[in-house]
Amino acid sequence: MKNLVLLPILATLAISGASHAATRDMESLDRGVVAVKVANGVFVGWRVLGTDPADMAFNVYRGTTKVNASPISGATNLVDAAGTASSTYSVRPVVDGAEQAVGGEASVWASQTLKIALNRPTGGTLESIAYTYTPSDIAVGDLDGDGKWDLVVKWDPSNAKDNSQAGLTGNVYLDAYTLQGKNLWRIDLGVNIRAGAHYTQMLVGDYDSDGKAEIACKTAPGTKDGSNAFLSKGPASSDDDSKAYRNAEGRINAGPEYLTIFNGQTGKEMSTVAYVPRRHPSAPDNATGAQLKAIWGDDYGGRFDRFLATNAYLDGKKPSMVFQDGYYTRMALAAWDWDGKNLSQRWLFDTYTGDAKLKGQGNHNLSAGDVDGDGFDEIIEGASAIDHDGKAMYATGLGHGDAIHMGDLDPDNPGMEVWEVHEDTAVSYGHELHDAKTGKILWGQNYASDNGRGMAADIDAASAGHEMWSAAGAGIYSSKGK
């Protein structure tokens, strides 16, 4: 059975908040040219790259005919009135007045969406209930080194569960597709990875700077790579792939946990190591319920089976992988590097063994960015932040939240800011804007309820910076809190 993913037109701006962004290894992408038939001709759009000089300009060609009278700057799109459905377009960068090689080509789309047929996994039956599959999270990266983004699609079964819910789930699958619809591979995470929003956080990035992206995620005994082979490296070389570690409630609170990095082009396992952070520092695979409750606050997986992940330029040069477990109580993160042969752990941050002031100061999500201007990315946890070297920066003390937006939201405040909503009704702010570097609260309001969602976006040109609002329903605020 096929499923269609619809991709809207967008011009991608690959940027970094770092002052030293030009030194960072980035994907060698083409211009992502898209041409679409519109009523008055053909719309042509393309992307700016984070490595482009500030004075970059462009020439656009229809076949061999240059469309623009002079190099285009300050925009990455045009409408060619003479374009037709059979036209082809190319974009060429212009640097210091000299035209460069072709940066991307495109034929004309008939509509503003690109339809890609997906290979839907076959469903099944568990606990006498049939389940089917739906595409869930999608990550992008150049898996085959052709300068074009590819898609990594996570398939979730219809019986996926939240941590608070008991019940068995179907397996989780990861698929890779080109934008032309070619299915490159499928990874089956197996029976020992539970399906749900909090369990599988996949990362895609070119971690060894070889021009091709890799995929990394949490795995377990029973995981099969893109060649349909069970994992066989590191601790997976001697495990029992036939054993199911889930309990009668369908939760997986015991058994080995791995981190695996897969080849982006083939999906094959390249390296597998023990997953860090572990459920329990001294009894990672077989901790008792009492041991887990003492660390996490529960013994059933509501808190210790919540995972997050992000890419971050921790050395200012190459992307690292950061994998996290927990945020309600214990919060632990491990940073990993891949050199093409080995996974090496850069650092481990753990509120259980130190930095207790960050305990419970996490989110359902996290962001990475250079908030202190040193050229290295920090990890922003909502109510707290961790420096690029794995050391605590600050904690606001306002506790757990569901939503976070980070960027230069207030242009008058130096650096970046964090817009955060909070669940804890006992704290003094239901939503607030704070300085991303110091944690200083710039403004906020209190609401005596669980404020579960919030948003920041520049939606009003008459108001400087971004505007902010939250599920508290108290209106839309300027960057100054007005």
Side-chain angles (χ1 to χ4, degrees):
M1 187 174 183
K2 298 291 186 180
N3 199 84
L4 297 179
V5 166
L6 305 182
L7 298 180
I9 298 173
L10 64 148
T12 301
L13 179 62
I15 62 174
S16 168
S19 58
H20 305 288
T23 66
R24 298 185 173 201
D25 291 346
M26 302 177 72
E27 289 179 303
S28 181
L29 299 175
D30 67 14
R31 293 290 162 182
V33 182
V34 173
V36 179
K37 186 70 181 74
V38 293
N40 55 338
V42 173
F43 171 93
V44 184
W46 59 95
R47 62 177 156 226
V48 172
L49 304 176
T51 52
D52 285 342
D55 59 353
M56 175 74 79
F58 301 93
N59 286 331
V60 178
Y61 287 81
R62 181 192 340 106
T64 59
T65 302
K66 188 165 71 169
V67 174
N68 50 298
S70 59
I72 300 169
S73 61
T76 57
N77 62 78
L78 59 76
V79 174
D80 176 23
T84 68
S86 60
S87 299
T88 59
Y89 290 88
S90 61
V91 173
R92 304 181 188 184
V94 179
V95 179
D96 295 330
E99 188 176 86
Q100 309 297 303
V102 173
E105 298 177 307
S107 55
V108 178
W109 295 2
S111 68
Q112 295 190 32
T113 55
L114 174 65
K115 296 182 179 181
I116 298 175
L118 302 182
N119 180 22
R120 188 193 301 268
T122 302
T125 301
L126 279 173
E127 299 177 319
S128 301
I129 299 175
Y131 63 90
T132 58
Y133 279 91
T134 302
S136 178
D137 298 335
I138 297 180
V140 298
D142 183 4
L143 303 178
D144 52 13
D146 65 354
K148 304 179 187 302
W149 268 344
D150 305 297
L151 308 178
V152 177
V153 180
K154 175 189 171 192
W155 290 98
D156 270 338
S158 54
N159 58 5
K161 305 295 183 186
D162 183 78
N163 298 58
S164 63
Q165 300 169 332
L168 302 178
T169 74
N171 289 10
V172 176
Y173 298 97
L174 303 180
D175 275 2
Y177 297 88
T178 68
L179 290 179
Q180 292 72 43
K182 182 181 179 180
N183 189 181
L184 298 176
W185 45 258
R186 169 167 292 169
I187 293 169
D188 178 358
L189 293 181
V191 70
N192 292 308
I193 296 293
R194 200 174 191 227
H198 300 294
Y199 300 107
T200 294
Q201 315 300 339
M202 60 192 183
L203 290 181
V204 177
D206 184 4
Y207 301 110
D208 57 1
S209 298
D210 68 348
K212 299 178 181 179
E214 294 82 37
I215 297 91
C217 66
K218 183 172 178 284
T219 58
T223 296
K224 292 182 179 180
D225 71 5
S227 68
N228 201 37
F230 288 116
L231 302 182
S232 61
K233 299 183 183 298
S237 63
S238 58
D239 63 10
D240 183 356
D241 289 305
S242 66
K243 184 173 182 179
Y245 290 91
R246 61 191 182 190
N247 60 26
E249 294 183 335
R251 297 186 172 94
I252 304 163
N253 300 341
E257 297 177 287
Y258 307 141
L259 172 63
T260 300
I261 188 163
F262 300 92
N263 182 285
Q265 193 165 12
T266 65
K268 290 185 178 180
E269 174 195 17
M270 294 193 294
S271 181
T272 296
V273 296
Y275 187 85
V276 178
R278 313 303 299 274
R279 294 188 187 99
H280 190 286
S282 59
D285 295 340
N286 57 358
T288 66
Q291 287 174 314
L292 295 172
K293 189 172 184 177
I295 296 176
W296 299 99
D298 71 48
D299 58 2
Y300 68 91
R303 288 173 169 81
F304 63 77
D305 231 14
R306 290 180 180 265
F307 301 95
L308 299 174
T310 186
N311 290 332
Y313 285 83
L314 301 176
D315 66 355
K317 178 66 174 174
K318 291 166 55 179
S320 297
M321 297 159 271
V322 180
F323 286 92
Q324 175 175 339
D325 192 1
Y327 37 79
Y328 283 116
T329 50
R330 179 192 182 194
M331 184 169 67
L333 300 86
W336 295 88
D337 294 320
W338 170 251
D339 63 4
K341 294 182 179 179
N342 299 293
L343 276 169
S344 58
Q345 188 177 317
R346 176 177 286 269
W347 48 254
L348 172 65
F349 174 92
D350 192 345
T351 59
Y352 179 69
T353 55
D355 299 308
K357 67 181 179 181
L358 270 68
K359 183 179 179 181
Q361 302 299 306
N363 252 43
H364 280 309
N365 33 56
L366 74 170
S367 291
D370 181 10
V371 301
D372 57 9
D374 62 359
F376 311 116
D377 282 349
E378 285 71 49
I379 310 301
I380 308 303
E381 292 282 346
S384 61
I386 299 166
D387 211 342
H388 68 276
D389 57 3
K391 294 181 170 55
M393 291 181 68
Y394 62 81
T396 66
L398 298 177
H400 164 73
D402 277 4
I404 176 178
H405 291 265
M406 184 180 76
D408 189 7
L409 308 181
D410 179 356
D412 295 328
N413 186 67
M416 291 191 280
E417 296 78 40
V418 175
W419 173 243
E420 166 79 339
V421 302
H422 296 280
E423 282 192 11
D424 193 345
T425 59
V427 302
S428 53
Y429 294 101
H431 63 213
E432 46 82 13
L433 184 71
H434 65 260
D435 187 285
K437 177 181 177 180
T438 65
K440 178 184 177 181
I441 307 298
L442 301 178
W443 59 268
Q445 286 86 27
N446 186 30
Y447 301 101
S449 63
D450 177 344
N451 195 14
R453 295 291 183 268
M455 179 72 189
D458 186 4
I459 62 169
D460 186 353
S463 175
H466 284 52
E467 288 70 51
M468 296 135 211
W469 59 99
S470 78
I476 297 174
Y477 294 84
S478 73
S479 62
K480 305 298 185 185
K482 180 179 179 182

